[in-house]
Amino acid sequence: MTVNGKAVSAEVDPRMLLVSFLREALDLTGTHVGCDTSQCGACVVHLDGGAVKSCTMLAVQADGAAVTTIEGLAKGGVLHPMQEAFRENHGLQCGFCTPGMIMSAVDLVARYGPGLDEATIRENLDGNLCRCTGYHNIVKAVAAGARAMGEAHMAEAPRAAE
Ligand code: FES
Ligand code: FES
């Protein structure tokens, strides 16, 4: 598979979960495990561009796929707009749920566009649990990150057309 743009190859136990492969074989420990019931969303990564809970699939099921983890979002030492929005809006306390929240939020923008309203954010983040924040700042951060992603996209568009 490709992980964060790099080709990786390994022989794994057929029972190994994708989240275990990322954390244990590749040392990408930004993807967290917060439950054993597929409920918390701390393990969310992107698989071929869409959000998945990496504890709900086997590593072998990602054979040939492109996986992005939280470590793959920042580019050249610059935080992704959604990461920056969580920092700016204090969308975290302990930070344990944050990687999964951010990966889900980026997927949400890809599906609904940058003008996200609060109801859409709350409804679509129902697969991500936070034990600390009360969610208010997370929702604010996701809305701000979505807007920033839209602006970054607009800024890139003229350059892409050149
Ligand atoms: Fe995957 Fe909780 S660890 S949903
Ligand atoms: Fe602590 Fe969400 S910030 S679990």
Side-chain angles (χ1 to χ4, degrees):
M1 68 182 83
T2 307
V3 180
N4 299 334
K6 266 186 17 203
V8 298
S9 174
E11 296 230 350
V12 298
D13 188 320
R15 295 171 301 175
M16 183 179 241
L17 295 171
L18 178 59
V19 67
S20 307
F21 179 67
L22 295 170
R23 290 178 54 83
E24 293 161 25
L26 303 183
D27 215 16
L28 293 170
T29 53
T31 302
H32 292 163
V33 179
C35 69
D36 54 12
T37 50
S38 302
Q39 281 178 315
C40 76
C43 62
V44 171
V45 300
H46 294 176
L47 184 89
D48 290 333
V52 295
K53 288 180 171 173
S54 60
C55 73
T56 62
M57 61 182 290
L58 301 168
V60 292
Q61 290 177 294
D63 190 14
V67 175
T68 305
T69 70
I70 189 71
E71 289 90 346
L73 279 195
K75 296 281 178 255
V78 178
L79 291 180
H80 184 282
M82 191 60 77
Q83 291 175 304
E84 185 60 37
F86 269 70
R87 195 182 69 82
E88 281 277 315
N89 290 278
H90 199 57
L92 60 136
Q93 287 182 25
C94 79
F96 192 83
C97 69
T98 314
M101 286 284 181
I102 290 177
M103 297 310 282
S104 291
V106 171
D107 174 67
L108 191 53
V109 179
R111 287 187 289 125
Y112 289 91
L116 293 174
D117 60 40
E118 182 175 336
T120 305
I121 295 170
R122 286 186 182 272
E123 189 181 331
N124 282 275
L125 282 187
D126 72 348
N128 292 76
L129 303 182
C130 176
R131 300 297 291 268
C132 305
T133 68
Y135 298 98
H136 185 66
N137 282 4
I138 291 177
V139 173
K140 260 171 57 184
V142 173
R147 282 194 301 275
M149 284 174 67
E151 285 158 18
H153 184 70
M154 292 293 281
E156 272 169 22
R159 263 183 270 148
E162 280 167 13

